[in-house]
Amino acid sequence: MIVEKSNIQSEALETVVIRFVGDSGDGMQLTGTQFTDTSAMFGNDIATFPNYPSEIRAPQGSLFGVSGFQVHIGSVEVSTPGDNLDLLVAMNPASLKTNLYALKPGHTIIVDTDAFNRKNLEKAQYKSNPLEDDTLNNYRVVKVDMTSLTREALKDIEGLDNKTITRSKNMFALGMVYWMYGRTTEYTIDFFKKKFRKEPLLIDVNTKVLKAGYNFAETLEFIPNAYSVSPAKMASGTYRVIMGNTATAWGFLAAAEKSGLELFLGSYPITPATDILHELVKHKHFGVKAFQAEDEIAGISSAIGAAFAGDLAITTTSGPGLALKGEALGLAIMMELPLVVVNVQRGGPSTGLPTKTEQSDLFQALYGRNGESPAIVIAASTPSNCFDFAFQAAKLALEHMTPVILLTDGYIANGSAPWRIQSVEELPEIKNNKVKEGADNWSPYIRNEKTLARNWAIPGTIGLEHRIGGLEKDSITGNVSQAPENHEIMTKIRAEKVKRVQDDIPEIKTEFATSGDLLVVGWGGTYGSLHSAVKQMNLVGYKNIGLAHFNYINPLPKNTGDLLTKFKKIVVCELNNGQFVNMLRMNFTGIEFLQYNKIQGLPFGNSELMEVFKKLIK
Amino acid sequence: MIMETAVENKYTYKDFESDQEVRWCPGCDDYVILRSMQKALPEMGVKKEDVVFVSGIGCSSRFPYYIDTYGMHTIHGRAPAIASGVKLANPSLSVWVATGDGDAMAIGGNHFIHVLRRNIDLNIILFNNEIYGLTKGQFSPTSMVGQKTKSSPYGNTQPPFNPGELALGAGARFYGRISGNSPKDISQMLIDAHHFKGTSLIEVLQNCVIFNDGCYSNVTNKDVKEDKLIFLEHGKPMIFGKNRDKGLVLSNLKLEVVTIGENGITEDNILIHDAKEKDPTMHQMLVRLEYPLATGIIRSYNDLTLEEREAEVTKQVKANSKFKKIDDLFFSGETYKVE
Ligand SMILES: Cc1ncc(C[n+]2csc(CCOP(=O)(O)OP(=O)(O)O)c2C)c(N)n1
Ligand code: SF4
Ligand SMILES: [Mg+2]
């Protein structure tokens, strides 16, 4: 099959990938989010990814102090922050050095030439100035004396210190990029008005610099307005730009309101999960009880206590924290209490790569506890569907009376995307298993026949006083029992209860093809990368590739086995050393599964995946 | 003791007996504590359905199974954290923690100090037998140096915690110590702990007849008790002894035992116990005292509870918030329409 070149090009024109990079103090996150929000308002589909150093205050100008924000905007659906850049805005030598690799040959770099002084070049370990030697020969370089121009723009405002002036140069860069992509500055100026309400001087400073950048770009003829990206076609509705972690937090808020329960969060700070805690502590007005505990064990333990007392209880963490929660999670499984554990995965083992993404906690989620202790495991796959799966996790926990582990990862948790706002009213109903009264021989182990969920009698309920705990209980009376057959019965009930969740989850559908040569299989946060690579393959003529992306891991959707037999080859792609693939091998012994893995703390790249798929199809 | 008047249904201790057979070794002080609890509960003015017992793991942690209220027998060391969740979820419940010396101060040490620091309104009964009972006799964080146990056959080399000292250091607002062979005093202390708003810690000197028999007999045996223990009561002079002629005075920044009637000492010279004092210095001195060993409520300082602080903040946030329901939040700020 021949790759039709023209197709790829027109595809590329519909979307643009921009990366703003600079020193940690250069305000690149703000610049990036402003561009994102403005583009979202304009109607583009977007996907973003921030990348900042793990050091809180890295030395100025250093290679490891570089902070970046990447945004992918499209007039068509965009599902990843993109891999190769169309535009790189580099505010200093160190950021140019560490990011140049990602820019497509022939594409544009905007640099602040003022920052390319001897000191900064040395810190970036440049032997000669890349703006003067042949380093950038393959690119279009737009050299702008941004610092000087910023100073010039502010010359009428008296008494400004140097720091304020240099700090606002990021707005000059933003202004330029706004002009290049046909955006207006209005949204950002409104933002200044709100943000600096109490410091009107800063409204003035930032607005002036932003406009100066915009006008500068307009006046200069060597910047063509070539990459206009028109609005994307998206389902109608009201949208907002949302980060994965915020979406997760909001999913729980919605679940609490929908179920009529109060929300309790027990948590201990850990990157990249902390923003869920940060978000939920804000919402005391909704009665959210967010408890920052002394450690992860106390985080989950307090949530277990709250679940026993009748709240919608959740605990949030990342890999190392999930390891600490293991024993208590086993207790919640044994006591059959509703509980949601969120694991925002990061690179491991141990402290690993705290700010980088990975999917290597799947086995931990599935098997990381003593004894036979099955948990429902589900995974969100985009920043905005973190909302849906947080909601769903709460619903499954409450309806099935057993813990649910929700896996997200650093990539989708920190990434943002447009979210079509769902009003609580539109969301599905959430039932629970609370009981108000019982017959004389009532026991907490009376079960719903269909789901096997046990009764949930909460303290305060007259006549239903009972004791539960970590010791095995008699399947009927609920009293402590060490009887041999009883333990086997109870073990099987707990497993069957999780299995029956299959009745309440949707079947999995393949995208792009329902049968054919190659089925690409993924789960969780890699959806964007896999989706866009398979889509691209289709666009260039490979019509026999399908994608099956899993959000429900334990139990798997009922039709999983059927679907897998429809393709000649199956490749399971994961950001780990091969976990889901082995789970599938274990469950579907007759089927051959190939695997493609990446363990670099980075998401999959589009061309990387396409190459793999092409090889497999040959 | 404050009596709550509004409760009509008067329980007896039998109402708090569960149908489970009690499985402790015959002669274990845990029986005494259980019965003291069952007798105290009807006096507290709480409804049965509003009481929750939470425990960790250990002989002592079997406690919730034997009381007919709500209960959770959980995992080793974590009961204070689990109980915190119960109480924060529903502050109207009366929440109790039953824990051992190992459960509370070894594996659960972290939760133990933090629950005391936060001052959540719950009650902790610490069964201190200076040994690991359930795992059959290893030394614990309260075992004495030199003590021979299964895991210290040549004598324990790890110096112990003094639970009261640790608790006060962690900011405990209520701490009482009581002998495991005095059921009436235990009951009364449980009732007082219940009425105290904030975390109350009751350390029971509990004899384990199997693995550490007699560890407290030199101070708690009937014949020596009155001479070796001082029972402190708020507002009363620190007097002890069979003849009530011994007392405590402060001398050179240390507590000293004096005899009333000797060297011109009268009752007026004896210190008055002030359990409600905010400054814990005197309480620390009392918990460290070896002779006489201080029992009774040593500290009972009234402070805001975590729930009260939370409720206050929540009230303010609610009053200032423009969000009434979740949709208000979702549709707030920067949104845009796609047709
Ligand atoms: C995670 C874990 N580690 C170890 C144990 C074993 N274990 C159970 S109880 C106990 C010590 C109990 O001593 P203490 O808390 O003093 O209670 P006692 O039995 O003396 O009342 C130990 C080590 C356990 N159950 N769980
Ligand atoms: S081992 Fe000791 S503490 Fe445990 S029940 Fe027996 S006597 Fe009581
Ligand atoms: Mg003990």
Side-chain angles (χ1 to χ4, degrees), chain A residues 239-240 284 294 460-461 467, chain B residues 49 69-70 118 330 332 336:
Chain A
Y239 282 77
R240 66 186 304 137
K284 283 188 193 296
E294 57 272 27
T461 313
R467 277 68 55 196
Chain B
E49 62 271 17
T69 62
Y70 284 91
R118 293 187 185 112
F330 289 0
S332 70
Y336 56 98

Side-chain angles (χ1 to χ4, degrees), chain A residues 556-576:
Chain A
L556 287 165
K558 266 188 188 160
N559 65 329
T560 305
D562 285 352
L563 177 139
L564 294 171
T565 55
K566 303 269 162 61
F567 289 82
K568 288 191 194 128
K569 279 185 185 171
I570 300 172
V571 61
V572 182
C573 304
E574 296 174 81
L575 299 175
N576 58 33

Side-chain angles (χ1 to χ4, degrees), chain A residues 40-41 187 194 234-240 250 253 257 264 283-286 289 291-295 297-298 301-302 305-306 308-309 311 327-328 331 335 387 418-419 421-424 457-462 464-471 473 479-480, chain B residues 18-20 48-50 52 62 64-65 67-76 78 81-86 88-90 93 110-112 114-115 117-118 120 306 310 313-314 317-318 321 323-327 329-339:
Chain A
M41 298 285 174
Y187 172 80
K194 267 178 244 156
M234 294 195 280
S236 68
T238 307
Y239 282 77
R240 66 186 304 137
W250 286 16
L253 289 178
E257 187 170 286
F264 181 96
H283 299 299
K284 283 188 193 296
H285 40 252
F286 296 136
K289 291 163 259 185
F291 176 61
Q292 180 177 322
E294 57 272 27
D295 58 23
I297 302 174
S301 296
S302 58
F308 183 70
D311 277 0
E327 190 198 11
L331 175 71
M335 295 203 294
F387 177 88
W419 173 54
I421 304 172
Q422 296 177 63
S423 131
V424 174
I458 63 163
T461 313
I462 302 171
L464 301 189
E465 295 84 4
H466 66 279
R467 277 68 55 196
I468 55 174
L471 285 171
K473 298 293 187 296
N479 290 325
V480 176
Chain B
S18 79
D19 59 354
Q20 294 299 289
K48 215 174 134 157
E49 62 271 17
D50 290 338
V52 183
R62 294 295 177 96
Y65 285 126
I67 303 187
D68 193 23
T69 62
Y70 284 91
M72 259 194 285
H73 173 231
T74 69
I75 45 176
H76 202 17
R78 318 302 171 198
I82 294 171
S84 298
V86 172
L88 293 173
N90 184 354
L93 299 172
N110 200 26
H111 312 305
F112 181 70
H114 286 279
V115 73
R117 166 176 79 86
R118 293 187 185 112
I120 298 176
L306 182 71
E310 280 289 326
V313 176
T314 303
V317 174
K318 271 194 175 143
S321 169
F323 301 134
K324 293 286 168 268
K325 46 187 187 20
I326 308 288
D327 278 359
L329 168 71
F330 289 0
F331 289 93
S332 70
E334 309 302 342
T335 63
Y336 56 98
K337 281 220 159 56
V338 173
E339 300 303 327

